[in-house]
Structure formats: structure tokens, C-alpha cells
Amino acid sequence: MGQGVEPPKPPIQDNDAGRYRLTIEEGPDGFIYKTLDRVTGEVIRQLPREDVVKMRHSPAYGPGELIKTKV
């Protein structure tokens, strides 16, 4: 696999719904939404992804650099 790419997590099953918890963290650049496994403490999903959050804090990052917007 490519560097920094995580394999997709299996979808959450309906019968597992009580096992997971949604947390919302407010930071200086907006909100971070995480789905946590109550049993293991593992982060199942995070929006925005962790690598995007790290990129925002890079001095070389500027708005609009995530996707190419100029033709």
C-alpha cells in the first residue's frame, strides 16, 4: 500500500451500534468528528482525516492546496 494510506475499516453493523461512540472535538481550525470503539478505545473513523489535520498545521500549507482549483 502507499505511504500513509490505511486500509478501509469494515462497515459498522446495526447490532454493533451500542459499541461505538461519536465524539466531537472543537479545535482552532474547526471540528473533528471521531467514531470510537467503546471496548478497545480505537478510533474507527475521523473526519477530517488525521493526515488532513496535520497538513493544516504545516507552515507550507495554504487554503485551496488540498485540491487543484486552477485550470
Side-chain angles (χ1 to χ4, degrees):
M1 296 220 153
Q3 183 178 1
V5 177
E6 295 181 21
K9 304 270 185 193
I12 297 172
Q13 302 295 320
D14 287 339
N15 59 352
D16 289 339
R19 181 175 176 156
Y20 300 100
R21 178 174 69 131
L22 175 67
T23 63
I24 302 171
E25 299 172 2
E26 185 174 6
D29 298 324
F31 293 94
I32 299 175
Y33 302 86
K34 295 181 183 179
T35 302
L36 301 173
D37 184 319
R38 290 177 187 248
V39 176
T40 66
E42 176 185 14
V43 175
I44 304 300
R45 289 193 186 99
Q46 176 178 317
L47 294 173
R49 292 187 342 232
E50 191 173 331
D51 52 342
V52 173
V53 174
K54 287 180 186 176
M55 187 184 318
R56 284 183 187 167
H57 294 102
S58 168
Y61 172 75
E65 292 183 12
L66 264 177
I67 57 171
K68 187 174 182 179
T69 58
K70 295 183 181 180
V71 181

